[in-house]
Amino acid sequence: MAVEQTLSIIKPDATARNITGKIINLFEEGGLRVVAQKRLRLSKEQAEGFYAVHKERPFYNDLVSFMMSGPVVVQVLEGENAILRNREIMGNTNPDEADPGTIRKLFAENIERNSVHGSDAPETAATEIAFFFDPSEIVG
Ligand code: IDP
Ligand code: MG
C-alpha cells in the first residue's frame, strides 16, 4: 500500500443541490483527506480539455455542457491507495449499478449527472491534478 493523491470533482448536479459537505464527509469517513480544494466554474476550454479522452464518445458534447452548467468543486484527495479507494467510495459510473452506500448510489441523478469525478489511474491522476492545481496549492 502506498499513499497516493487523486483528482476529485464534485459536479454541477451536486453543487446545485448544496450537498458538497455530504459528499466530502463520505470521502473523509472513507479514509481520504482533502489536501487541496477550490470551487470554480469551468470554461468551455477547460471542460473540453479535461474530458478530451472522451471526445469520440456520443455523450461528449452533453457532458461538456453539463460540466459547464454550474459551479464545480475540484479537490486533491490523499490517502492509502487513494485512486482506487476514491473510486470505491464513488461507486459505478451508472448509479443503477452502484453499490449501496456509494456516493453515486446515494446522490447521482443519472449516468451523466452522477455527482462526482475521480481519476482512474496513477498517470491520469497526475495529469488531472496538474490540470487544476499548482504544487504550492496542495498542502498535505
Ligand atoms: P467515470 O466518471 O466513472 O470514470 P467515464 O466512463 O470516464 O466514467 O465517463 C466520464 C463521465 O461521462 C461520467 O462520469 C459521466 O458523467 C459521463 N458518462 C459516461 N458514460 C455516459 C453515458 O453512457 N451517457 C451519458 N453520460 C455518460
Ligand atoms: Mg473516467
Side-chain angles (χ1 to χ4, degrees):
M1 296 250 284
V3 175
E4 293 176 334
Q5 294 182 342
T6 192
L7 193 277
S8 163
I9 306 179
I10 302 178
K11 295 183 178 182
D13 67 283
T15 60
R17 286 175 285 152
N18 201 27
I19 55 172
T20 60
K22 287 180 177 166
I23 289 172
I24 293 166
N25 187 51
L26 288 167
F27 292 142
E28 292 181 342
E29 296 274 318
L32 300 177
R33 180 175 291 269
V34 180
V35 295
Q37 177 165 271
K38 56 191 163 192
R39 182 175 172 111
L40 67 154
R41 186 102 180 212
L42 294 182
S43 67
K44 190 160 194 286
E45 291 67 32
Q46 283 176 308
E48 287 177 346
F50 186 80
Y51 279 117
V53 63
H54 294 307
K55 202 156 40 185
E56 306 307 327
R57 307 281 284 276
F59 57 80
Y60 176 70
N61 288 335
D62 279 351
L63 175 62
V64 167
S65 299
F66 162 55
M67 291 300 289
M68 295 168 55
S69 69
V72 296
V73 177
V74 295
Q75 312 170 300
V76 179
L77 304 178
E78 183 179 272
E80 291 286 342
N81 281 335
I83 297 165
L84 185 61
R85 184 78 195 106
N86 181 37
R87 292 198 64 99
E88 289 171 353
I89 296 167
M90 291 197 301
N92 194 288
T93 309
N94 183 349
D96 293 339
E97 294 171 22
D99 287 340
T102 60
I103 291 171
R104 283 163 164 173
K105 177 57 95 183
L106 287 166
F107 300 123
E109 296 180 343
N110 55 50
I111 192 171
E112 178 184 84
R113 301 173 66 85
N114 60 4
S115 304
V116 280
H117 166 86
S119 307
D120 60 10
E123 302 72 35
T124 46
T127 309
E128 291 178 359
I129 289 170
F131 191 92
F132 286 110
F133 292 98
D134 185 88
S136 67
E137 297 176 301
I138 303 169
V139 184

